[in-house]
């Protein structure tokens, strides 16, 4: 069922969410940060921010208190028998404020005279202070209002719109522009360019609220809830589209802010860029510096004053610094790793939205996740799902889709971008597609900074598939020791701190037993395809010592898909040996 509208308070023009794909076949998992069509977001003048006089005055004073937190006297006051909306006195500055929603010339004349008199008075009382007086209007001051203020001939008195006044706290538009030139998690074009900017049109995904009886959310629903100060947790496995969806939420909220439909603007952090940080203020300042913001500290002020909607992507990328066979020690390490997220939940203003996203199986169960991240039982947990048949057809712009194709957005996007999808007049088998697909998955999870190439990631998964064949279904469970041994078998050394991120978030693995914290393969076809790796190496070189490869304990025979992938890779190896032709060279089964 579809979820009912969440609130009438947020009058926002937002879009449904989904996955991007361009019609030239270059699939992608994210959206362009700038509007892809000027008709997508049309400003409705009747939907601009609307507040009564008291609400507007309170909002202006909230901004002022955030700008001058050290002021001894702050807020409304009676001076000379007349009420003043705001007076703020710091060590070196006096700020005087009159705020109004009235657009008449008479109002400007009245408030302007009050500010002029007050500014001259405080100039005499505080001769060593800079005195500034602000005539703040909800909308842009009219020409008549500006003329009245100018006629006062007092440079200390300035007419400004609410937007201009707020920009002194944080230049949100400058932030949104700077943020658009920085990557959004793992959202990339899946063609050879790997661009995080040049992405295609958007196809909707189903976003289910867990434990709700089937309620579905859209990007619009999520954005509306966040704009209203709600908190959300979004979960999904590898390739489900978490970064893409978070990016789309950012884009929708940014459009709403730019069109004056919301007073709050989105701030998006890639948590993988903040490993080891525990203080939200330090993380926000670092984020501002990373994207090239001229005044990074402004983000901290905006967050503390409740004007920032936080989008925290990738809690699973915050590496735990302990890898042990003891499940309790691993849980403690995970909890320490996400201390920053927990601090954001604890310290963020109660009326400011917050979204955190990450892999569902990073934690062993819901209780560990809630306690580790620091959110309460009332916080909705949203789960990203694979494509339905209709969404798949919209994504690929075709209806003749083989049943073996995976329904996961990233996997499909990769096949599409590499032209590995079978054409309508030639249906390729799954072996070639899965083999190239595993190369793409492994390359995406590689860590060049730690010396872990995509090939190494694939061989680790293949070794884990060998361990899994010792179980009845060939999926697991896989223990911490087996994961660590697989790394050692492939790399030739024990895993260190820099390798923990990879080992704790290997693609295609889910929690097997919440009590012991074991993992297992989430997809039978994926496990079957990677299970071909160790037999391939043995077939090509049967006389070498293949460390860790012991078929005597196997309970699961290789499947038909695994045998096809094995045969395909043996054929490829023979081709390379005899002709020097790469995996894709001259292959007639490739799609166009």
């Amino acid at each position: 069922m579809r979820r009912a509208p969440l609130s009438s308070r947020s009058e926002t023009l937002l879009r449904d969410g989904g996955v991007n794909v361009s019609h030239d076949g270059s699939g992608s998992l994210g959206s362009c940060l700038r509007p892809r069509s000027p008709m997508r977001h049309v400003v409705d003048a009747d939907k601009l921010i609307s507040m009564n006089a008291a609400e507007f005055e309170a909002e202006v004073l909230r901004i002022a208190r955030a700008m001058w937190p050290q002021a001894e006297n702050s807020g409304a006051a009676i001076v000379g028998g007349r009420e003043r909306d705001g007076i703020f006195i710091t060590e070196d500055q006096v700020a005087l404020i009159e705020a109004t929603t009235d657009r008449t010339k008479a109002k400007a004349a009245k408030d302007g005279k009050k500010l002029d008199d007050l500014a001259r008075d405080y100039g005499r009382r505080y001769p060593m202070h800079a005195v500034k007086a602000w005539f703040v209007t909800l909308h842009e001051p009219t020409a008549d209002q500006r003329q009245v203020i100018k006629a006062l001939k007092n440079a200390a008195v300035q007419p400004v719109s609410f937007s201009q006044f707020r920009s002194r706290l944080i230049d949100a538009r400058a932030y949104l522009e700077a943020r658009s030139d920085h990557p959004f998690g793992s959202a990339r074009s899946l063609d050879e360019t790997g661009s995080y900017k040049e992405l295609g049109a958007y196809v909707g995904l189903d976003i289910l609220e867990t434990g709700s009886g089937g309620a579905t959310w859209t990007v619009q629903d999520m954005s509306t809830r966040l704009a209203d100060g709600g908190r959300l947790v979004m979960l999904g496995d590898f390739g489900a589209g978490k970064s893409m969806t978070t990016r789309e939420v950012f884009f929708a909220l940014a459009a709403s802010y730019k069109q004056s439909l919301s007073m709050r603007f989105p701030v998006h952090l890639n948590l993988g860029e903040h490993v080891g940080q525990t203080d939200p203020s330090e993380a926000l300042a670092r984020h501002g510096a990373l994207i090239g913001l001229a005044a990074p500290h402004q983000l901290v002020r905006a967050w503390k004053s409740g004007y920032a909607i936080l989008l925290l992507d990738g809690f699973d990328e915050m590496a735990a610094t302990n890898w042990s066979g003891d499940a309790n020690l691993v849980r403690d390490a995970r909890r320490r790793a996400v201390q920053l997220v927990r601090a954001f939940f604890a310290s963020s203003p109660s009326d400011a939205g917050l979204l955190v996203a990450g892999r569902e199986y990073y934690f062993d169960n819901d209780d560990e996740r809630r306690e580790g991240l620091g959110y309460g039982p009332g916080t909705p947990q949203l789960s990203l799902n694979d494509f339905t048949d209709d969404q798949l057809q919209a994504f690929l712009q075709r209806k003749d889709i083989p049943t073996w194709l995976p329904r996961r957005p990233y996997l499909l996007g990769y096949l599409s971008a590499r032209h590995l999808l079978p054409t309508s007049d030639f249906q390729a088998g799954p072996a070639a597609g899965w083999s190239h697909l595993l190369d793409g998955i492994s390359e995406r999870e590689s860590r060049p900074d730690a010396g872990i190439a995509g090939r190494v990631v694939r061989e680790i998964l293949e070794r884990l598939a060998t361990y899994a064949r010792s179980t009845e279904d060939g999926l697991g469970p896989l223990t911490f020791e087996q994961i660590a041994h697989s790394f050692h078998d492939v790399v030739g050394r024990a895993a260190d701190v820099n390798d923990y991120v990879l080992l704790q978030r290997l693609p295609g693995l889910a929690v097997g037993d919440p009590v012991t914290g074991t993992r297992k393969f989430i997809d039978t076809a994926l496990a079957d395809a990677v299970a071909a790796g160790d037999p391939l190496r043995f077939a090509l070189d049967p006389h070498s010592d293949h460390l860790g490869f012991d078929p005597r304990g196997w309970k699961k025979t290789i499947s038909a898909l695994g045998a096809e992938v094995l045969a395909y890779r043996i054929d490829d190896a023979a081709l390379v040996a005899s002709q020097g032709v790469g995996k894709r060279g001259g292959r007639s089964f490739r799609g166009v």
Side-chain angles (χ1 to χ4, degrees):
M1 69 180 192
R2 280 298 298 273
R3 191 175 185 83
L6 298 174
S7 172
S8 60
R9 173 185 164 202
S10 294
E11 299 177 285
T12 52
L13 293 177
L14 305 170
R15 297 174 298 157
D16 285 356
V19 171
N20 293 336
V21 63
S22 57
H23 298 323
D24 63 0
S26 56
S28 59
L29 288 182
S31 64
C32 182
L33 293 176
R34 299 173 179 83
R36 290 174 287 278
S37 166
M39 299 302 293
R40 293 299 294 272
H41 302 294
V42 181
V43 175
D44 182 349
D46 294 331
K47 289 187 176 181
L48 292 170
I49 297 170
S50 177
M51 290 181 282
N52 61 38
E55 291 172 335
F56 178 60
E57 181 180 326
E59 200 63 37
V60 170
L61 292 181
R62 181 161 78 152
I63 294 174
R65 291 189 180 98
M67 287 194 292
W68 301 296
Q70 70 276 32
E72 295 179 2
N73 301 310
S74 60
I78 301 295
V79 179
R82 306 176 71 181
E83 183 180 357
R84 317 294 177 154
D85 288 350
I87 299 177
F88 297 82
I89 304 174
T90 69
E91 292 182 354
D92 56 4
Q93 184 177 4
V94 175
L96 311 172
I97 297 171
E98 290 292 333
T100 183
T101 60
D102 192 333
R103 297 174 66 81
T104 65
K105 180 178 180 180
K107 180 62 173 174
K110 177 183 177 182
D111 285 358
K113 183 65 167 61
K114 289 169 64 177
L115 288 171
D116 181 37
D117 292 344
L118 197 61
R120 296 181 190 278
D121 179 32
Y122 273 82
R124 291 187 293 269
R125 294 163 60 179
Y126 294 89
M128 302 303 292
H129 285 54
V131 179
K132 196 77 172 180
W134 307 92
F135 174 66
V136 186
T137 58
L138 175 58
H139 304 286
E140 190 71 19
T142 67
D144 285 342
Q145 288 176 325
R146 290 187 182 278
Q147 184 178 13
V148 167
I149 300 299
K150 184 177 180 180
L152 295 173
K153 296 183 179 180
N154 186 344
V157 183
Q158 295 293 322
V160 295
S161 68
F162 175 70
S163 177
Q164 290 171 320
F165 185 71
R166 181 177 54 189
S167 69
R168 296 180 61 82
L169 172 68
I170 172 68
D171 189 347
R173 290 178 180 269
Y175 169 77
L176 295 175
E177 183 65 24
R179 188 63 187 83
S180 70
D181 289 326
H182 191 74
F184 279 63
S186 59
R188 297 288 191 279
S189 168
L190 296 179
D191 59 15
E192 282 76 4
T193 67
S195 172
Y196 60 87
K197 294 183 181 180
E198 301 301 325
L199 303 171
Y202 204 69
V203 176
L205 282 170
D206 285 341
I207 306 173
L208 298 182
E209 180 180 348
T210 61
S212 67
T216 62
W217 292 56
T218 64
V219 166
Q220 175 177 344
D221 295 330
M222 295 173 64
S223 301
T224 303
R225 175 62 66 88
L226 292 167
D228 284 340
R231 298 183 173 191
L232 300 171
V233 174
M234 182 171 62
L235 306 171
D237 193 49
F238 170 84
K242 298 179 297 298
S243 292
M244 164 272 300
T245 302
T246 306
R247 184 180 186 179
E248 192 71 2
V249 170
F250 175 93
F251 184 69
L253 289 170
S256 179
Y257 176 85
K258 290 178 180 179
Q259 295 171 11
S260 297
L261 304 175
S262 172
M263 291 188 299
R264 295 184 172 97
F265 69 98
V267 173
H268 181 293
L269 274 68
N270 299 324
L271 290 175
E273 296 172 345
H274 300 276
V275 173
Q277 287 194 285
T278 59
D279 182 80
S281 295
E282 292 179 359
L284 287 168
R286 179 179 182 180
H287 169 65
L290 283 173
I291 66 173
L293 197 62
H297 67 279
Q298 288 187 343
L299 283 178
V300 181
R301 297 197 310 193
W303 167 62
K304 289 186 175 181
S305 60
Y307 282 102
I309 300 172
L310 291 180
L311 309 178
L312 310 177
D313 183 24
F315 64 74
D316 54 293
E317 297 182 27
M318 307 189 80
T321 57
N322 187 312
W323 188 260
S324 166
D326 189 320
N328 291 325
L329 292 178
V330 173
R331 292 190 187 100
D332 288 342
R334 282 197 295 258
R335 188 180 188 279
R336 289 194 302 271
V338 296
Q339 183 176 342
L340 177 63
V341 178
R342 200 160 55 251
F344 269 120
F345 269 111
S347 305
S348 293
S350 60
D351 59 347
L354 193 160
L355 167 69
V356 62
R359 293 193 186 180
E360 181 173 4
Y361 298 113
Y362 177 80
F363 293 101
D364 289 346
N365 51 55
D366 283 352
D367 289 341
E368 184 194 352
R369 185 187 309 110
R370 289 185 188 278
E371 197 278 331
L373 298 180
Y375 63 96
T379 301
Q381 292 185 146
L382 309 181
S383 179
L384 293 172
N385 290 280
D386 293 347
F387 280 134
T388 64
D389 288 341
D390 289 342
Q391 292 166 347
L392 181 59
Q393 291 176 11
F395 182 73
L396 298 178
Q397 293 292 295
R398 53 185 289 188
K399 294 184 177 181
D400 54 319
I401 300 170
T403 56
W404 67 266
L405 279 178
R407 261 51 177 174
R408 185 144 298 168
Y410 170 76
L411 305 187
L412 273 172
Y414 179 85
L415 287 174
S416 175
R418 297 301 191 277
H419 305 289
L420 293 172
L421 295 175
T423 60
S424 57
D425 59 346
F426 187 90
Q427 294 294 305
W434 270 109
S435 185
H436 287 283
L437 183 59
L438 289 172
D439 281 341
I441 294 172
S442 303
E443 193 61 38
R444 175 174 169 174
E445 293 297 295
S446 65
R447 294 186 57 80
D449 57 322
I452 306 299
R455 173 192 60 80
V456 173
V457 176
R458 177 166 180 170
E459 289 188 17
I460 292 172
L461 287 174
E462 290 171 341
R463 176 50 49 90
L464 287 173
T466 296
Y467 282 125
R469 290 183 66 182
S470 298
T471 64
E472 297 293 340
D473 59 6
L475 298 178
L478 298 166
T479 66
F480 291 125
E481 289 86 350
Q482 288 173 320
I483 295 174
H485 287 163
S486 294
F487 182 93
H488 184 276
D489 291 346
V490 173
V491 180
R493 62 173 175 79
D496 60 24
V497 172
N498 292 324
D499 305 315
Y500 293 154
V501 171
L502 170 66
L503 295 182
Q504 292 176 103
R505 58 193 297 271
L506 283 168
L509 297 183
V511 174
D513 183 347
V515 176
T516 61
T518 56
R519 298 297 191 258
K520 66 186 302 182
F521 284 98
I522 62 168
D523 185 86
T524 300
L526 173 65
D528 290 342
V530 294
D534 274 348
L536 169 70
R537 282 179 281 279
F538 182 81
L540 295 178
D541 187 9
H543 302 295
S544 293
D545 181 15
H546 297 276
L547 185 65
F549 179 71
D550 185 1
R552 290 174 296 182
W554 289 352
K555 298 179 181 178
K556 177 74 164 55
T557 60
I558 197 166
S559 68
L561 172 61
E564 287 184 48
V565 174
L566 177 58
Y568 166 76
R569 295 187 65 188
I570 290 175
D571 181 42
D572 240 10
L575 207 62
V576 169
S578 62
Q579 301 177 15
V581 178
K583 286 189 176 182
R584 298 190 196 180
R587 293 291 185 175
S588 62
F589 51 73
R590 290 194 302 145
V592 177

